[in-house]
Amino acid sequence: MNDIENDSPRSYESEDATGHIAIIGMVGRFPGARNVDEFWQNLRAGVESISFFTQAELADSGLDPALLHNPKYVGAEGIVSDIDLFDAAFFNLAPREAEFMDPQHRLFLESAWEAMEKAGYDSESYPGRIGVFAAASMSTYLIRNILSHPGLYDSVGSFQISLSNGQDFLATRVSHQLNLKGPSLNTNTLCSSSFVAIHLACQSLLDQECDLALAGGVSLQVSRNESFFYQEGGIGDPAGHCRAFDAKSRGTVSGSGLGIVILKRLEEALEQGDHILAVIRGSALNNDGSDKLSYTAPSREGQAKAIAEAQAVAGVDPETITLIEAHGTGTHLGDPIEVAALTKVFRAGTQKKNFCALGSVKSNIGHLVTAGGVASLIKTILALQNKQIPPSLNFEEPNPELDLPNSPFYVPTKVLDWKVNGMPRRAGVSSFGIGGTNVHLVVEEAPEIKPSGKSRPWQLLLLSAKTASALDKQTTHLLDYLRQFPHSNRADITYTLQVGRRGFGHRRMLLCQTLEEALTALNVPASGQVLTQFQESKDRP
C-alpha cells in the first residue's frame, strides 16, 4: 500500500455534503462482544467468536437426539450472551407481556433506545420526524418456546402471540415505544435484509420523508436446533469455520447478533454539530432476476450492477476504494462469483493490482443472516474510525478460482494501518440475499470537524433515571467516561446530557467548574455539592 502523504480527512463544503448520509450513532451485540468497543477489540485481535459444543452440551440443551447423532450436524455457532435479560418496566410493559415477546423484539427495542442516546437525541424533544427501518429473522422463540406449549399459547391468544413474535411488528413496536412518527417498516430479503433497511433509510432521508432514521437488523437463535447441516456445495462449513476466499473454504457457520445505525442527512449533521462516525456516499439495490443457475444461486451480473451503481451514485472511482467488506460466505459458488463481480467493476476504472483489502466479518462471528449486513457495516465504520484494517480470519492460501494475484484485491491476515495517499479512506460494503436481492454501500471516513469553542466557566451536569439504582449506575458511567476521556469538552458533555437524554423522576445535578471538581463530587454523590431528588411526573401549567 502507498505511504501516507495526507492522513487527515477532508472537510466538506455544503455542496459536497448534498446527497450523502451521515452515520451519527451505532450499537451492536455480537458473538463475544456486548458492544461495539468489544467488537472492535475482537476484530483487531483476530478473535474467532464461534462456540463449539460437545455432545454432552448439545444433549443438555434439549437438542433432538436425531440431530445429535447426525454426522452432518454442525455443533458450532456464534452466540450472543444474555438474550434472556430485558428491562420490561423501563418500557412500561407487564411481565406477562414481556414473557411472550420474542427476544429479538426485546433486544432490538432496548438497543434502539441506546442508539438514540449514542446519537445524542431524545425522541420526545427532537423537532423532526424519526423513521425506523428494521429486519428480524423468523422467530425460533415462537416455534421452540411457545408453540411447544399449547396450553400456554391458548391462554394468551393467537393475535397477541403474533404481535409479540411476528416479523411485521419489529419496527412499529420501536416507533410506538419511542414515539417516532416517521416511516416505520420491516424488510425481509434474508441475508441482505438489514442492508435493504439501511438503503431504504438513506432514500427516505434524501426524499425528506424523515429527518433521522434508525436502521438495522437482529437475528437471535434461542435453540441449537437451528444450526447448520453440512451439505456438499451448500452454505454450511462441516467444521464450523468460515474460511472466506481460502482454498479450503467449504462454507460458513451460523451466528446470532444485532446492529443498529442512526442516520441523518450529512449537510444537517454538519450544521448541527453531530458526532459523525462515517459517511454513506452512495448505495444501490437490485435483484438478479432469473438469469442465473437457480433461485438460491448468486449472479455475477446482478452483483456487479449493484456495486457499479453504488460507486456511480457515490461519485467515486474504484481506485479510491481501498477496502471491500464482502458478503464472503466462503462457499464454492459464492466467493468466486462475488470476487468476479467486484473485479469486473474495478477493472472498468483501474488496472492496478492488489491495492484493495478484501475481508469478511463472517470469519469472525459467523453468518448473522438478517443482521449480517449491518454487522459488516459496523466493522467497516470501526475500521474507518481507527484507521486500521483488521484481518480476515482462517485465510492461508487463496482460492485459485478467485485469481486474486491478478485482481485489485488482497486478503489481509494481520491488522494493518490503513494508509491513504491524499484522499479520504473509502470502503465498499456488500450484502447479498438468497433470492437475489443485492445491496452495496460506498462508505467514507467522517469529515474533519472543528472542535467546540470556549464556553462559560460553570457547567451544569444533569442525570436522570427511572429508578434510584439506575441513577447510581448512570453516575458511575459518567465518572468512568470522564476518567477515560479527561480532555473531553465539558460543555459538549453538559449539552448532550441536557438535550440528548430523556428526563425521568430520579434526578441528580452538579454545578462545577473543573474536571477535578466533577470527579471528586460524583465519586461521593451524597456530598453537599451533588443534589439528588425524586419528582413524580405531573402536568405543569
Side-chain angles (χ1 to χ4, degrees):
M1 301 178 71
N2 293 328
D3 290 336
I4 189 166
E5 290 185 5
N6 180 5
D7 197 36
S8 299
R10 66 169 178 161
S11 58
Y12 276 81
E13 302 296 336
S14 59
E15 59 271 16
D16 294 331
T18 303
H20 302 330
I21 300 297
I23 302 169
I24 63 170
M26 63 178 177
V27 296
R29 292 279 299 276
F30 304 107
R34 295 166 297 178
N35 52 56
V36 295
D37 293 331
E38 291 183 5
F39 186 42
W40 173 249
Q41 294 304 317
N42 289 344
L43 291 170
R44 193 182 182 283
V47 175
E48 184 183 42
S49 300
I50 302 299
S51 299
F52 295 87
F53 309 107
T54 65
Q55 290 276 329
E57 288 172 330
L58 290 170
D60 290 343
S61 72
L63 185 73
D64 185 337
L67 301 182
L68 182 62
H69 299 292
N70 189 320
K72 293 188 177 181
Y73 178 77
V74 182
E77 189 177 354
I79 301 296
V80 170
S81 62
D82 299 332
I83 67 171
D84 57 322
L85 304 182
F86 177 59
D87 192 350
F90 182 86
F91 295 101
N92 298 317
L93 294 171
R96 181 73 166 172
E97 185 178 0
E99 182 183 0
F100 283 93
M101 189 183 296
D102 185 347
Q104 295 183 118
H105 288 241
R106 301 179 207 159
L107 202 59
F108 195 85
L109 178 58
E110 287 189 334
S111 297
W113 184 283
E114 181 186 356
M116 286 295 296
E117 289 199 340
K118 291 284 188 182
Y121 287 104
D122 170 20
S123 59
E124 287 284 9
S125 60
Y126 183 70
R129 293 203 301 171
I130 304 174
V132 183
F133 302 80
S137 291
M138 179 179 65
S139 176
T140 58
Y141 185 74
L142 172 64
I143 297 169
R144 302 294 179 189
N145 292 51
I146 296 178
L147 295 182
S148 60
H149 298 83
L152 199 65
Y153 180 87
D154 294 339
S155 69
V156 177
S158 60
F159 182 63
Q160 186 60 48
I161 293 295
S162 176
L163 290 177
S164 299
N165 292 269
Q167 292 166 290
D168 292 343
F169 308 108
L170 181 71
T172 50
R173 183 180 298 279
V174 171
S175 296
H176 173 72
Q177 289 287 344
L178 274 61
N179 193 24
L180 311 181
K181 298 178 180 178
S184 186
L185 64 134
N186 301 289
T187 61
N188 292 105
T189 59
L190 201 62
C191 314
S192 58
S193 296
S194 61
F195 246 35
V196 173
I198 292 168
H199 169 79
L200 293 178
C202 292
Q203 297 305 306
S204 184
L205 287 163
L206 295 175
D207 290 342
Q208 307 291 321
E209 292 177 335
C210 59
D211 305 292
L212 206 66
L214 293 86
V218 57
S219 181
L220 301 178
Q221 304 291 350
V222 299
S223 162
R224 300 286 72 74
N225 287 278
E226 272 58 57
S227 292
F228 281 122
F229 283 87
Y230 174 67
Q231 290 180 314
E232 185 65 36
I235 194 171
D237 179 79
H241 301 282
C242 180
R243 298 178 174 86
F245 320 117
D246 189 77
K248 297 178 182 177
S249 62
R250 300 174 74 182
T252 188
V253 60
S254 175
S256 292
L258 175 151
I260 299 175
V261 292
I262 306 292
L263 308 176
K264 192 176 186 179
R265 288 181 288 272
L266 177 58
E267 62 267 31
E268 294 174 11
L270 290 168
E271 290 170 3
Q272 296 167 15
D274 289 298
H275 179 56
I276 301 172
L277 308 179
V279 174
I280 299 175
R281 285 192 63 99
S283 64
L285 166 71
N286 71 6
N287 190 273
D288 295 333
S290 60
D291 188 19
K292 55 183 181 178
L293 292 175
S294 68
Y295 172 69
T296 60
S299 164
R300 188 190 79 151
E301 293 306 314
Q303 293 180 13
K305 287 178 180 178
I307 296 164
E309 183 179 343
Q311 291 183 3
V313 171
V316 300
D317 296 325
E319 198 169 305
T320 67
I321 296 172
T322 48
L323 171 64
I324 290 290
E325 176 58 26
H327 190 62
T329 55
T331 58
H332 286 307
L333 191 61
D335 280 7
I337 286 178
E338 180 170 11
V339 173
L342 285 163
T343 301
K344 178 181 179 181
V345 175
F346 272 67
R347 282 290 173 251
T350 180
Q351 295 302 311
K352 287 179 64 176
K353 296 180 181 180
N354 309 130
F355 68 91
C356 182
L358 182 67
S360 171
V361 75
K362 293 175 180 63
S363 66
N364 300 88
I365 58 175
H367 192 349
L368 306 193
V369 197
T370 49
V374 70
S376 296
L377 177 60
I378 290 174
K379 172 189 172 182
T380 304
I381 296 167
L382 292 167
L384 288 166
Q385 285 187 298
N386 290 278
K387 299 179 175 59
Q388 291 183 320
I389 296 174
S392 196
L393 305 187
N394 305 316
F395 182 84
E396 297 174 357
E397 183 181 349
N399 184 342
E401 293 184 47
L402 310 184
D403 195 22
L404 287 179
N406 294 310
S407 78
F409 311 107
Y410 68 96
V411 178
T413 56
K414 61 180 181 180
V415 65
L416 301 173
D417 290 332
W418 192 347
K419 298 182 179 181
V420 288
N421 190 8
M423 67 182 72
R425 292 170 182 82
R426 288 189 186 131
V429 192
S430 294
S431 188
F432 308 130
I434 289 179
T437 297
N438 308 306
V439 191
H440 188 79
L441 268 61
V442 176
V443 188
E444 185 172 284
E445 66 182 326
E448 186 176 10
I449 303 295
K450 293 181 180 179
S452 300
K454 292 183 178 180
S455 62
R456 66 190 69 177
W458 289 90
Q459 299 296 337
L460 185 65
L461 295 173
L462 298 179
L463 295 172
S464 74
K466 283 198 171 186
T467 66
S469 60
L471 185 63
D472 289 337
K473 279 188 176 181
Q474 285 214 19
T475 305
T476 301
H477 291 162
L478 179 59
L479 266 170
D480 292 342
Y481 182 87
L482 293 174
R483 288 168 179 151
Q484 186 177 357
F485 302 101
H487 301 296
S488 296
N489 188 301
R490 285 181 298 106
D492 290 345
I493 295 172
T494 299
Y495 179 87
T496 299
L497 290 175
Q498 293 188 30
V499 177
R501 299 291 184 268
R502 184 77 56 88
F504 297 115
H506 291 267
R507 302 195 174 191
R508 184 161 287 163
M509 179 185 76
L510 169 64
L511 188 65
C512 62
Q513 282 186 291
T514 66
L515 173 67
E516 290 71 22
E517 285 180 12
L519 291 173
T520 301
L522 290 173
N523 196 46
V524 187
S527 67
Q529 196 172 350
V530 178
L531 301 180
T532 301
Q533 178 78 18
F534 173 71
Q535 175 66 59
E536 288 190 21
S537 177
K538 61 183 180 181
D539 293 330
R540 297 178 183 273

